[in-house]
Amino acid sequence: MYSIGQAAELTGFSIDTIRYYEKIGLTKPPERSPGGLRSYSEDDLKLLSSLHCLKRTGLALEEMKAFLQEGRCFANPAFPLSGEDREAIESRTRILGEHLIRMEAQYRALADVIGQTKEKLDFYQDLLNKEAAAK
Amino acid sequence: MYSIGQAAELTGFSIDTIRYYEKIGLTKPPERSPGGLRSYSEDDLKLLSSLHCLKRTGLALEEMKAFLQEGRCFANPAFPLSGEDREAIESRTRILGEHLIRMEAQYRALADVIGQTKEKLDFYQDLLNKEAAAK
DNA sequence: GTAGAGGCTGGAGTTGACTCCAGGTCAACA
DNA sequence: TGTTGACCTGGAGTCAACTCCAGCCTCTAC
């Protein structure tokens, strides 16, 4: 088990951010030590890390919340699904699909900008090389 | 020439956002009609569109400002460069290089998350297919 | 020439996502 | 046992990036 400080260190969030996510209900409260200190399991850290990853792609907290929204895991569901389960699955599919489209657009945009940036860098580098040669 | 409303329509920003970018000095003021209305050229729209693209890659406005930082252009400089010019070029090289590293990291992270998201989507889609088949 | 849509300015308000603080508690070590 | 450093809570503060507003102006169409 890990303290909140270790969790912060390992997941890339700040301590305050981790507590904030708990406060707004994005993550569920972790266990506590007898003295009341938060105590995070490996699974908790895994979840936080994947949040960190999602966050870097621009998913808003509310969307993450919707995505994580409760739940049961559908590793081995019984068919036919209950109406509730089907709804949950459909909702996740929708959120993920929408985000995927945005991420793919972002991916293309990023590739573009990276290309442009490299060109500019090459150009400036070239100037500096010529300058060095001219000396 | 285009009105601010048309510019907004064509670039994906809101009217307020376009005026905001002008206010903070991210974009330079466009021409005005004799009556004082903003009037955007094709080039202005191109710039705005590329800002929209940059924004989608998660660059902060301050970073975009640095990225767009115009100033004198070094298309055909005389060698040896003046000390000032060399400094300007070195500074741009540094800024761009740092951006590039961050963007490339982001690019890899994004590819990763896109992959994971697709897997999850496939998984859920599969569940829904099985459900349909079970009926 | 007037109605109505769209645009202008300066400034205030909002939203999302933290970040910091005061005043206390907990835990490990000397 | 005392000190030190990490952690606790509730709540206030901050920051970027918009977004909205009031009161006035411009433009186009009838």
Side-chain angles (χ1 to χ4, degrees):
Chain A
M1 305 295 282
Y2 303 84
S3 73
I4 194 169
Q6 292 172 315
E9 183 101 358
L10 292 168
T11 62
F13 286 119
S14 75
I15 291 179
D16 268 325
T17 299
I18 293 176
R19 279 196 289 245
Y20 172 67
Y21 285 177
E22 185 187 328
K23 183 149 71 178
I24 64 171
L26 178 59
T27 55
K28 64 179 203 311
E31 289 191 25
R32 298 287 182 129
S33 74
L37 303 191
R38 288 173 179 80
S39 176
Y40 294 88
S41 69
E42 294 281 355
D43 278 357
D44 291 336
L45 294 199
K46 244 182 244 167
L47 180 66
L48 280 171
S49 296
S50 76
L51 283 188
H52 196 246
C53 186
L54 279 169
K55 203 182 99 56
R56 285 207 345 226
T57 71
L59 194 60
L61 298 193
E62 276 309 309
E63 294 175 301
M64 285 190 216
K65 208 162 164 178
F67 176 64
L68 295 178
Q69 206 54 288
E70 225 24 51
R72 81 187 232 35
C73 147
F74 295 102
N76 247 318
F79 294 101
L81 303 165
S82 76
E84 217 175 276
D85 283 355
R86 206 172 36 77
E87 255 173 52
I89 290 174
E90 279 170 358
S91 145
R92 286 189 200 185
T93 305
R94 195 174 33 70
I95 292 172
L96 282 184
E98 281 164 12
H99 188 51
L100 187 59
I101 288 170
R102 281 201 305 276
M103 283 193 294
E104 284 177 334
Q106 198 187 340
Y107 188 73
R108 286 189 299 272
L110 198 51
D112 232 56
V113 177
I114 286 175
Q116 286 170 30
T117 304
K118 278 184 177 163
E119 265 172 41
K120 281 199 188 182
L121 256 180
D122 281 352
F123 173 73
Y124 287 131
Q125 199 55 61
D126 198 47
L127 286 187
L128 293 177
N129 289 344
K130 278 187 190 146
E131 163 78 356
K135 267 193 191 157
Chain B
M1 304 296 281
Y2 303 84
S3 72
I4 195 169
Q6 291 171 316
E9 183 100 0
L10 291 169
T11 62
F13 286 120
S14 75
I15 291 178
D16 269 324
T17 299
I18 292 175
R19 279 196 289 245
Y20 172 68
Y21 285 176
E22 185 187 329
K23 185 151 68 178
I24 64 171
L26 179 58
T27 56
K28 63 179 205 307
E31 289 190 27
R32 297 286 182 132
S33 75
L37 302 193
R38 287 174 180 80
S39 177
Y40 293 88
S41 69
E42 294 280 356
D43 277 358
D44 291 336
L45 294 198
K46 241 182 249 168
L47 180 65
L48 279 172
S49 295
S50 78
L51 282 188
H52 199 243
C53 171
L54 279 169
K55 203 180 98 58
R56 282 196 348 224
T57 71
L59 287 194
L61 299 193
E62 277 308 311
E63 293 176 306
M64 284 189 219
K65 216 162 163 177
F67 183 82
L68 295 178
Q69 203 60 274
E70 77 194 282
R72 87 183 228 37
C73 150
F74 295 102
N76 247 320
F79 292 102
L81 302 165
S82 76
E84 217 175 279
D85 282 357
R86 207 172 36 77
E87 255 173 52
I89 290 175
E90 279 171 358
S91 145
R92 284 191 204 182
T93 305
R94 197 175 31 70
I95 290 173
L96 285 182
E98 281 165 12
H99 273 161
L100 189 59
I101 287 169
R102 279 205 303 278
M103 283 193 290
E104 285 179 331
Q106 198 189 340
Y107 188 73
R108 284 190 299 273
L110 197 51
D112 233 56
V113 178
I114 286 175
Q116 287 170 27
T117 304
K118 277 184 177 164
E119 264 172 41
K120 279 200 189 182
L121 258 178
D122 281 352
F123 172 72
Y124 288 131
Q125 199 55 60
D126 198 48
L127 286 188
L128 292 175
N129 289 344
K130 278 188 190 148
E131 164 78 357
K135 263 191 191 157

